[in-house]
Amino acid sequence: MWNYTDKMMDHFLHPRNVGEISDADAVGEVGNMACGDALKLYLKIDKSDTCITEAKFQTFGCASAIASASALTELIKGKTVEQAEKITNDDIAAYLGGLPKEKMHCSVMGQEALEAALAKYRGSSPAPREEGKIVCTCFGVTDTKIARVVREHNLTTPEQVTHYCKAGGGCGGCIGEIQAIIDEVWRKERERKAQRATPRKYLTNIQKIQLIQETIEKEIKPTLRADGGDIELIDVAGNTVIVAFRGVCAGCPASGVTIAAVVEKKLREFVSPEITVREAQG
Amino acid sequence: MNTVYLDNNATTRVAPEVLEAMLPFLRDFWGNPSSMHSFGGQVRKHIDNARRQVAALLGAEEDEIIFTSCGTESDNAAIASALAANPCRPHIVTTRVEHPAVFGLCQRLEKEGHQVTWLSVDTRGMLDLDEARRAVRDCTGVVSVMWANNETGVIFPVEEVGKIAKSAGCAFHVDAVQAVGKLPVTLRQSTIDFLSLSGHKLHAPKGVGALYIRKGTKFTPLIVGGHQEMGRRGGTENVASIVGLGAACELAGKHMGEEQTRGRGLRDKLERALLAAAPDTRLNGHPEMRLPNTTNISFEYVEGEAILLRLNELGICASSGSACTSGSLEPSHVLRAMGVPYTAAHGSVRFSLSRYTTGGEIDFVITHLPPIIKALREISPFGRKGR
């Protein structure tokens, strides 16, 4: 049995804002019965201040699909179109106190219905999301959509992709293709980062130190801090960068590996391929 | 809140008589039946007695029964042994609606290079015997077919399939996990070489099963170790559970008639009432060729997990072939093999009764399920005509 939160069960057993709005200003519809879930979202929007005055829904789906739709309507009521546009599936999941990872696609469906409705309201078509080549034929998921969930949710495995957009969850025949899309997304991401960093061919010493400092701040610290560690730049002598580790990284027997794997790799990528990194002694 | 347990194809309660029979072997007689002292050795005769009880229910001889840890182990042991006995016959014939115990094993064997023919079923879940005849060939090592389907209760004509297997000279295995205790079985007059059963589907505890191996059939153990089970299954015997399985088989024999009359009556009442209570509702599986305890009904335009969780709020336990209940995204492979439309497969609910099911419980479900379907259909964007 799924590990559903009390709040999720409450929204499933007593869904808020169920129904239709006959004179809705915008309607968003996603999913279909073959997929096992579908959501139709109706919005009433005040023309003067674009405030969403009423939101209703109809859902065909499992308990978490119903609860996600209920949560979505609660989240957007009273918000302006601009504010509502910023709501993501993570907000829906968070509102319900979290969803099992296999059920994240239910919250994604909520976000997509909202996007479809708002796009209709603005008179533009929500087409860009639907374009691309169908990769998962079981659930009709395109490469564009897969690449988007990979980027937006920092996904690295086909299994995670299935949790977020169902792709690969049917016959499994497209798992290899999904992996290729994931690899491509992250390869491009790396290229993009590298491009941003490479043009500086002739750096003065001060520029170089600044760039090293900036790279440590933006590219290295967040990774280490996520694990409870930290890093400090001590000195730069030519192409040798001397750093000290703080927090859980300090005195960690694996810090030799950390330098090689993370710091040096990043500095070589963003500053200069000649950089070597040493840990400060004592 | 009372529990209304209608999920007996998933597992059953341990019968009080079974528990009583088991307790001495957990409390007092905990010796090892293989020991050379009488404290351990005295346990041996209780295992032998359990073997007699299982054999009696199956219409088989005692030395044709080995105890295993579960139905899945029995299935694995039978199929692996049949293939090992005839390395020059690597082809397998099975069906598209098998329980994962056989389905998953055959998928793996297929990956490892065995040819597998997956027999299809019609919209009522029945096999086409001509298709089976065409499938069996000189290189077929084993035909493995379930006796009764766990999801729909549909009963296969196993003896007919067995004749086809025998005509090609290959081994015949039957996964009878859902059938034993519900249908009469007489293996003495049968084409079956291997038959699997599971304790916890017939009011014995989980963690014990049995495998029937026809006398004279070549057998290679799956679990290799000591000399237990006549050298056919290594590992110290799960004495208390084996005693429990024996007691459960004896009880099942006594209650068999009741399953076919009282049990079937309750099932039919539930089925008729639910099919009549809501429009756009369908029965999955052959209306007659079915276990007396199982009904599988699809409610279109609603999703199975949502139905189950609403039933759960009332203490009613059932199961569904919907994708969402399994963690996979595809609905039941059994319903899809039968060509049940996705829309109906997602909204399928299985009720499986036992001899402990009461008329009051059935009435409770008949009262409370239709309003749940109505409420969920009101949330659904589909099926306006279904309201």
Coordinates of all heavy atoms in Angstrom, one line a residue, chain A residues 40-117:
Chain A
K40 N -9.3 17.7 -16.1 CA -9.9 18.9 -16.8 C -10.0 20.0 -15.7 O -10.7 19.8 -14.7 CB -11.2 18.5 -17.3 CG -11.7 19.4 -18.4 CD -12.9 18.7 -19.2 CE -13.4 19.6 -20.3 NZ -14.6 19.0 -21.0
L41 N -9.4 21.1 -16.0 CA -9.4 22.2 -15.1 C -10.1 23.4 -15.6 O -9.9 23.8 -16.8 CB -7.9 22.6 -14.8 CG -7.6 23.8 -13.9 CD1 -8.0 23.5 -12.4 CD2 -6.2 24.2 -14.0
Y42 N -11.0 24.0 -14.8 CA -11.8 25.1 -15.3 C -11.5 26.3 -14.4 O -11.4 26.2 -13.2 CB -13.3 24.9 -15.0 CG -13.9 23.6 -15.7 CD1 -13.7 22.4 -15.2 CD2 -14.6 23.7 -16.9 CE1 -14.2 21.2 -15.8 CE2 -15.1 22.6 -17.6 CZ -14.9 21.3 -17.0 OH -15.4 20.2 -17.6
L43 N -11.2 27.5 -15.1 CA -10.9 28.7 -14.4 C -11.8 29.8 -14.7 O -12.2 30.0 -15.8 CB -9.4 29.1 -14.7 CG -8.3 28.2 -14.5 CD1 -7.0 28.8 -14.9 CD2 -8.2 27.7 -13.0
K44 N -12.1 30.6 -13.7 CA -12.9 31.9 -13.8 C -11.9 33.0 -13.5 O -11.3 33.0 -12.4 CB -14.1 31.9 -12.9 CG -15.1 32.9 -13.2 CD -16.2 32.3 -14.2 CE -17.1 33.4 -14.7 NZ -16.9 33.7 -16.1
I45 N -11.6 33.8 -14.4 CA -10.6 34.8 -14.2 C -11.1 36.3 -14.4 O -11.8 36.6 -15.4 CB -9.4 34.6 -15.3 CG1 -8.8 33.2 -15.1 CG2 -8.3 35.7 -15.1 CD1 -7.8 32.8 -16.1
D46 N -10.9 37.1 -13.4 CA -11.3 38.5 -13.4 C -10.5 39.3 -14.5 O -9.3 39.3 -14.4 CB -11.1 39.1 -12.0 CG -11.8 40.4 -11.9 OD1 -11.7 41.2 -12.8 OD2 -12.5 40.7 -10.9
K47 N -11.3 39.9 -15.4 CA -10.6 40.6 -16.5 C -9.7 41.8 -16.1 O -8.7 42.1 -16.6 CB -11.6 41.1 -17.6 CG -12.4 39.9 -18.3 CD -11.6 39.4 -19.4 CE -12.4 38.3 -20.2 NZ -13.0 37.2 -19.4
S48 N -10.2 42.4 -15.0 CA -9.5 43.7 -14.6 C -8.2 43.4 -14.0 O -7.2 44.1 -14.3 CB -10.4 44.5 -13.7 OG -10.7 43.7 -12.5
D49 N -8.1 42.5 -13.1 CA -6.8 42.3 -12.4 C -6.3 40.9 -12.6 O -5.3 40.5 -11.9 CB -7.0 42.6 -10.9 CG -8.1 41.7 -10.2 OD1 -8.7 40.8 -11.0 OD2 -8.3 41.8 -9.0
T50 N -6.8 40.1 -13.5 CA -6.4 38.7 -13.9 C -6.4 37.8 -12.6 O -5.6 36.8 -12.6 CB -5.0 38.6 -14.6 OG1 -4.0 38.8 -13.6 CG2 -4.9 39.7 -15.7
C51 N -7.2 38.1 -11.7 CA -7.3 37.3 -10.5 C -8.1 36.0 -10.8 O -9.2 36.1 -11.4 CB -7.8 38.1 -9.3 SG -7.9 37.1 -7.8
I52 N -7.6 34.8 -10.4 CA -8.4 33.6 -10.5 C -9.4 33.5 -9.4 O -9.1 33.3 -8.3 CB -7.5 32.4 -10.5 CG1 -6.5 32.4 -11.7 CG2 -8.3 31.1 -10.6 CD1 -5.4 31.4 -11.7
T53 N -10.7 33.8 -9.8 CA -11.7 33.9 -8.7 C -12.3 32.5 -8.4 O -12.8 32.3 -7.3 CB -12.8 34.9 -9.2 OG1 -13.3 34.5 -10.5 CG2 -12.3 36.3 -9.3
E54 N -12.3 31.7 -9.4 CA -12.8 30.3 -9.2 C -12.1 29.3 -9.9 O -11.6 29.5 -11.1 CB -14.3 30.3 -9.6 CG -15.1 29.3 -8.9 CD -16.6 29.2 -9.4 OE1 -17.0 30.2 -10.2 OE2 -17.3 28.3 -9.1
A55 N -11.8 28.1 -9.3 CA -11.2 27.0 -10.0 C -11.9 25.7 -9.7 O -12.2 25.4 -8.5 CB -9.7 26.9 -9.6
K56 N -12.2 25.0 -10.7 CA -12.9 23.7 -10.5 C -12.2 22.6 -11.3 O -11.5 22.9 -12.3 CB -14.4 23.8 -10.8 CG -15.1 24.6 -9.7 CD -16.6 24.2 -9.8 CE -17.3 24.8 -8.5 NZ -18.6 24.3 -8.4
F57 N -12.4 21.3 -11.0 CA -11.8 20.3 -11.7 C -12.6 19.0 -11.8 O -13.5 18.8 -11.0 CB -10.4 19.9 -11.1 CG -10.5 19.1 -9.9 CD1 -10.4 17.7 -10.0 CD2 -10.7 19.6 -8.7 CE1 -10.6 16.9 -8.9 CE2 -10.8 18.8 -7.5 CZ -10.7 17.4 -7.6
Q58 N -12.3 18.2 -12.8 CA -12.8 16.8 -12.9 C -11.6 16.0 -13.2 O -10.7 16.3 -14.0 CB -13.8 16.7 -14.1 CG -15.1 17.4 -13.8 CD -15.9 17.4 -15.1 OE1 -15.5 17.7 -16.1 NE2 -17.2 17.0 -14.9
T59 N -11.5 14.8 -12.5 CA -10.3 13.9 -12.6 C -10.8 12.5 -12.8 O -11.7 12.0 -12.1 CB -9.4 14.0 -11.4 OG1 -8.8 15.3 -11.4 CG2 -8.4 12.9 -11.4
F60 N -10.1 11.8 -13.7 CA -10.2 10.4 -13.8 C -8.8 9.9 -13.4 O -7.8 10.2 -14.0 CB -10.5 9.9 -15.2 CG -10.2 8.5 -15.4 CD1 -11.1 7.5 -15.0 CD2 -9.1 8.1 -16.2 CE1 -10.9 6.2 -15.2 CE2 -8.9 6.7 -16.4 CZ -9.8 5.8 -15.9
G61 N -8.7 9.2 -12.2 CA -7.4 8.8 -11.8 C -7.4 8.2 -10.4 O -8.4 8.1 -9.8
C62 N -6.2 7.9 -10.0 CA -6.0 7.3 -8.7 C -6.1 8.3 -7.6 O -6.3 9.5 -7.8 CB -4.7 6.5 -8.6 SG -3.3 7.6 -8.9
A63 N -6.0 7.9 -6.4 CA -6.2 8.7 -5.2 C -5.3 9.9 -5.3 O -5.7 11.1 -5.0 CB -5.9 7.9 -3.9
S64 N -4.0 9.8 -5.6 CA -3.1 10.9 -5.6 C -3.4 11.8 -6.8 O -3.1 13.0 -6.7 CB -1.6 10.4 -5.7 OG -1.4 9.5 -6.7
A65 N -4.0 11.3 -7.9 CA -4.4 12.2 -9.0 C -5.5 13.1 -8.6 O -5.5 14.3 -8.8 CB -4.7 11.4 -10.2
I66 N -6.5 12.6 -7.8 CA -7.6 13.3 -7.4 C -7.1 14.4 -6.4 O -7.5 15.6 -6.4 CB -8.7 12.4 -6.7 CG1 -9.3 11.5 -7.8 CG2 -9.7 13.2 -6.0 CD1 -10.2 10.4 -7.3
A67 N -6.3 13.9 -5.4 CA -5.8 14.9 -4.4 C -4.9 16.0 -5.0 O -5.0 17.1 -4.6 CB -4.9 14.1 -3.4
S68 N -4.1 15.6 -6.0 CA -3.2 16.6 -6.7 C -4.1 17.7 -7.3 O -3.8 18.9 -7.3 CB -2.3 16.0 -7.7 OG -1.4 15.2 -7.1
A69 N -5.2 17.3 -8.0 CA -6.1 18.2 -8.7 C -6.8 19.1 -7.6 O -6.9 20.4 -7.8 CB -7.1 17.5 -9.5
S70 N -7.2 18.5 -6.5 CA -7.8 19.3 -5.4 C -6.8 20.3 -4.9 O -7.2 21.5 -4.7 CB -8.3 18.3 -4.3 OG -8.7 19.0 -3.2
A71 N -5.6 19.9 -4.7 CA -4.6 20.8 -4.1 C -4.3 21.9 -5.1 O -4.2 23.1 -4.7 CB -3.3 20.0 -3.9
L72 N -4.2 21.6 -6.4 CA -4.0 22.6 -7.4 C -5.0 23.7 -7.3 O -4.7 24.9 -7.3 CB -3.9 22.0 -8.8 CG -3.9 22.9 -10.0 CD1 -2.6 23.7 -10.0 CD2 -4.2 22.2 -11.3
T73 N -6.3 23.3 -7.3 CA -7.3 24.4 -7.3 C -7.2 25.2 -6.0 O -7.4 26.5 -6.1 CB -8.7 23.7 -7.4 OG1 -8.9 22.8 -6.3 CG2 -9.0 23.1 -8.7
E74 N -6.9 24.6 -4.9 CA -6.7 25.4 -3.7 C -5.6 26.4 -3.8 O -5.6 27.5 -3.3 CB -6.5 24.5 -2.5 CG -7.8 23.7 -2.0 CD -8.8 24.6 -1.4 OE1 -8.7 24.9 -0.2 OE2 -9.8 25.1 -2.1
L75 N -4.5 25.9 -4.4 CA -3.3 26.7 -4.6 C -3.5 28.0 -5.4 O -2.9 29.0 -5.2 CB -2.1 25.9 -5.1 CG -1.3 25.1 -4.2 CD1 -0.5 24.1 -4.9 CD2 -0.5 25.9 -3.3
I76 N -4.3 27.8 -6.5 CA -4.4 28.9 -7.5 C -5.5 29.9 -7.2 O -5.5 31.0 -7.7 CB -4.5 28.4 -8.9 CG1 -5.7 27.5 -9.1 CG2 -3.2 27.6 -9.3 CD1 -5.9 27.0 -10.5
K77 N -6.5 29.5 -6.4 CA -7.6 30.4 -6.1 C -7.1 31.6 -5.5 O -6.4 31.6 -4.5 CB -8.7 29.7 -5.3 CG -9.7 29.0 -6.1 CD -11.0 28.7 -5.3 CE -10.8 28.0 -4.0 NZ -12.0 27.6 -3.4
G78 N -7.6 32.8 -6.0 CA -7.2 34.1 -5.4 C -5.9 34.6 -6.0 O -5.5 35.7 -5.6
K79 N -5.2 33.8 -6.8 CA -3.9 34.3 -7.3 C -4.1 34.9 -8.7 O -5.1 34.6 -9.3 CB -2.9 33.1 -7.5 CG -2.4 32.5 -6.2 CD -1.0 32.0 -6.3 CE -0.4 31.8 -5.0 NZ -1.1 30.9 -4.0
T80 N -3.2 35.8 -9.0 CA -3.3 36.4 -10.4 C -2.7 35.4 -11.4 O -2.0 34.5 -10.9 CB -2.5 37.7 -10.5 OG1 -1.1 37.4 -10.3 CG2 -3.0 38.7 -9.5
V81 N -3.0 35.6 -12.6 CA -2.5 34.7 -13.6 C -1.0 34.6 -13.6 O -0.3 33.5 -13.6 CB -2.9 35.1 -15.0 CG1 -2.2 34.4 -16.1 CG2 -4.4 34.9 -15.2
E82 N -0.4 35.8 -13.3 CA 1.1 35.8 -13.3 C 1.6 35.0 -12.1 O 2.6 34.3 -12.2 CB 1.5 37.3 -13.1 CG 3.0 37.5 -13.5 CD 3.4 39.0 -13.5 OE1 2.7 39.7 -12.7 OE2 4.3 39.4 -14.2
Q83 N 1.0 35.1 -10.9 CA 1.4 34.3 -9.8 C 1.2 32.8 -10.0 O 2.0 32.0 -9.6 CB 0.6 34.8 -8.5 CG 1.0 36.2 -8.0 CD 0.0 36.7 -7.0 OE1 -1.2 36.4 -7.1 NE2 0.5 37.5 -6.1
A84 N 0.0 32.5 -10.6 CA -0.3 31.1 -10.8 C 0.7 30.4 -11.8 O 1.0 29.2 -11.6 CB -1.7 31.0 -11.4
E85 N 1.2 31.2 -12.7 CA 2.1 30.7 -13.7 C 3.4 30.1 -13.0 O 4.0 29.2 -13.6 CB 2.6 31.8 -14.7 CG 1.7 31.9 -15.9 CD 2.0 33.1 -16.7 OE1 2.7 34.0 -16.2 OE2 1.6 33.1 -17.9
K86 N 3.7 30.6 -11.9 CA 4.9 30.2 -11.2 C 4.7 28.9 -10.4 O 5.7 28.3 -9.9 CB 5.4 31.3 -10.2 CG 5.7 32.6 -11.0 CD 6.6 33.5 -10.1 CE 7.0 34.7 -10.9 NZ 5.9 35.7 -11.0
I87 N 3.5 28.4 -10.3 CA 3.2 27.2 -9.5 C 3.7 26.0 -10.3 O 3.4 25.8 -11.4 CB 1.7 27.1 -9.2 CG1 1.4 28.1 -8.1 CG2 1.4 25.7 -8.6 CD1 -0.1 28.3 -7.9
T88 N 4.5 25.1 -9.6 CA 5.0 23.9 -10.2 C 4.4 22.7 -9.6 O 3.8 22.8 -8.6 CB 6.6 23.9 -10.0 OG1 6.8 23.7 -8.7 CG2 7.2 25.1 -10.5
N89 N 4.8 21.6 -10.2 CA 4.3 20.3 -9.6 C 4.8 20.1 -8.2 O 4.2 19.5 -7.3 CB 4.6 19.1 -10.5 CG 6.0 18.7 -10.4 OD1 6.9 19.5 -10.8 ND2 6.3 17.5 -9.9
D90 N 6.1 20.6 -8.0 CA 6.6 20.4 -6.6 C 5.8 21.2 -5.6 O 5.7 20.7 -4.4 CB 8.1 21.0 -6.6 CG 9.0 20.0 -7.4 OD1 8.7 18.8 -7.4 OD2 9.9 20.5 -8.0
D91 N 5.2 22.3 -6.0 CA 4.4 23.1 -5.0 C 3.1 22.2 -4.7 O 2.7 22.2 -3.6 CB 3.9 24.4 -5.7 CG 5.1 25.3 -5.9 OD1 6.1 25.3 -5.1 OD2 5.1 26.1 -6.9
I92 N 2.6 21.5 -5.7 CA 1.4 20.7 -5.5 C 1.7 19.6 -4.5 O 1.0 19.3 -3.6 CB 0.9 20.2 -6.8 CG1 0.4 21.3 -7.7 CG2 -0.3 19.2 -6.6 CD1 0.1 20.9 -9.2
A93 N 2.9 18.9 -4.8 CA 3.3 17.8 -4.0 C 3.6 18.3 -2.6 O 3.1 17.6 -1.6 CB 4.5 17.1 -4.6
A94 N 4.2 19.4 -2.4 CA 4.6 20.0 -1.1 C 3.3 20.3 -0.3 O 3.2 20.1 0.9 CB 5.5 21.2 -1.2
Y95 N 2.3 20.9 -1.0 CA 1.0 21.2 -0.4 C 0.4 20.0 0.2 O -0.3 20.1 1.3 CB 0.1 21.8 -1.5 CG -1.2 22.3 -1.0 CD1 -1.4 23.6 -0.5 CD2 -2.4 21.5 -1.0 CE1 -2.6 24.1 0.0 CE2 -3.6 21.9 -0.5 CZ -3.7 23.2 0.0 OH -4.9 23.7 0.5
L96 N 0.6 18.8 -0.4 CA 0.0 17.6 0.1 C 0.9 16.9 1.1 O 0.6 15.8 1.5 CB -0.3 16.7 -1.1 CG -1.4 17.2 -2.0 CD1 -1.5 16.3 -3.3 CD2 -2.8 17.2 -1.4
G97 N 2.0 17.5 1.5 CA 2.9 16.9 2.4 C 3.8 15.9 1.7 O 4.3 15.0 2.4
G98 N 3.9 16.0 0.4 CA 4.8 15.0 -0.3 C 3.9 13.9 -1.0 O 2.8 13.6 -0.5
L99 N 4.5 13.4 -2.0 CA 3.9 12.2 -2.7 C 4.9 11.1 -2.9 O 6.1 11.4 -3.0 CB 3.4 12.7 -4.1 CG 2.2 13.5 -4.3 CD1 2.0 14.0 -5.7 CD2 0.9 12.8 -3.8
P100 N 4.5 9.9 -2.9 CA 5.4 8.8 -3.2 C 6.1 9.1 -4.6 O 5.4 9.6 -5.5 CB 4.6 7.5 -3.3 CG 3.3 7.9 -2.6 CD 3.1 9.4 -2.8
K101 N 7.4 8.7 -4.7 CA 8.0 9.1 -6.0 C 7.4 8.6 -7.2 O 7.3 9.2 -8.3 CB 9.5 8.8 -5.9 CG 9.9 7.3 -5.9 CD 11.4 7.1 -5.8 CE 11.9 5.7 -6.0 NZ 11.2 4.6 -5.5
E102 N 6.8 7.4 -7.1 CA 6.1 6.8 -8.2 C 4.8 7.5 -8.6 O 4.3 7.3 -9.7 CB 5.7 5.3 -7.9 CG 6.8 4.3 -7.7 CD 7.3 4.3 -6.2 OE1 6.9 5.3 -5.5 OE2 8.1 3.5 -5.9
K103 N 4.4 8.5 -7.7 CA 3.2 9.2 -8.0 C 3.4 10.6 -8.4 O 2.5 11.4 -8.5 CB 2.3 9.1 -6.7 CG 1.8 7.7 -6.4 CD 0.7 7.3 -7.3 CE 0.1 6.0 -6.8 NZ -1.1 5.6 -7.6
M104 N 4.7 11.0 -8.6 CA 5.0 12.4 -8.9 C 4.3 12.8 -10.2 O 3.9 14.0 -10.3 CB 6.5 12.6 -9.0 CG 7.2 12.7 -7.7 SD 6.6 13.8 -6.5 CE 7.1 15.4 -7.1
H105 N 4.1 11.9 -11.1 CA 3.4 12.3 -12.4 C 2.0 12.8 -12.1 O 1.5 13.5 -13.0 CB 3.4 11.1 -13.3 CG 2.7 9.9 -12.9 ND1 1.3 9.8 -13.1 CD2 3.1 8.8 -12.2 CE1 0.9 8.6 -12.6 NE2 2.0 8.0 -12.0
C106 N 1.4 12.4 -11.0 CA 0.1 13.0 -10.7 C 0.1 14.5 -10.5 O -0.7 15.3 -10.9 CB -0.5 12.3 -9.5 SG -0.9 10.6 -9.7
S107 N 1.2 14.9 -9.8 CA 1.4 16.4 -9.6 C 1.8 17.1 -10.9 O 1.4 18.2 -11.1 CB 2.4 16.7 -8.5 OG 3.7 16.2 -8.8
V108 N 2.6 16.4 -11.7 CA 3.0 16.9 -13.0 C 1.7 17.2 -13.9 O 1.6 18.2 -14.5 CB 3.9 16.0 -13.7 CG1 4.2 16.5 -15.1 CG2 5.3 15.9 -12.9
M109 N 0.8 16.2 -13.8 CA -0.5 16.4 -14.5 C -1.2 17.7 -14.1 O -1.8 18.4 -14.9 CB -1.4 15.2 -14.3 CG -2.6 15.2 -15.3 SD -3.4 13.6 -15.2 CE -4.2 13.6 -13.6
G110 N -1.2 18.0 -12.8 CA -1.8 19.2 -12.3 C -1.1 20.4 -12.9 O -1.8 21.3 -13.4
Q111 N 0.2 20.4 -12.9 CA 0.9 21.6 -13.5 C 0.6 21.7 -14.9 O 0.4 22.8 -15.4 CB 2.4 21.4 -13.3 CG 3.3 22.6 -13.7 CD 4.8 22.3 -13.7 OE1 5.2 21.3 -13.1 NE2 5.5 23.1 -14.4
E112 N 0.6 20.6 -15.6 CA 0.3 20.7 -17.1 C -1.1 21.2 -17.4 O -1.3 21.9 -18.4 CB 0.5 19.3 -17.7 CG 2.0 19.0 -17.8 CD 2.3 17.6 -18.3 OE1 1.3 16.8 -18.4 OE2 3.5 17.3 -18.6
A113 N -2.1 20.8 -16.6 CA -3.4 21.3 -16.8 C -3.5 22.8 -16.6 O -4.2 23.5 -17.3 CB -4.4 20.5 -15.9
L114 N -2.8 23.2 -15.6 CA -2.8 24.7 -15.3 C -2.1 25.4 -16.4 O -2.6 26.4 -16.9 CB -2.0 24.9 -14.0 CG -1.8 26.4 -13.6 CD1 -3.1 27.1 -13.3 CD2 -0.9 26.5 -12.3
E115 N -1.0 24.9 -16.9 CA -0.3 25.5 -18.0 C -1.2 25.6 -19.3 O -1.2 26.6 -20.0 CB 1.0 24.8 -18.4 CG 2.1 25.0 -17.4 CD 3.3 24.0 -17.6 OE1 3.2 23.1 -18.4 OE2 4.3 24.2 -16.8
A116 N -1.9 24.5 -19.5 CA -2.7 24.4 -20.7 C -3.9 25.5 -20.6 O -4.2 26.2 -21.5 CB -3.3 23.0 -20.8
A117 N -4.4 25.6 -19.4 CA -5.5 26.5 -19.2 C -5.0 28.0 -19.3 O -5.7 28.8 -20.0 CB -6.1 26.3 -17.8

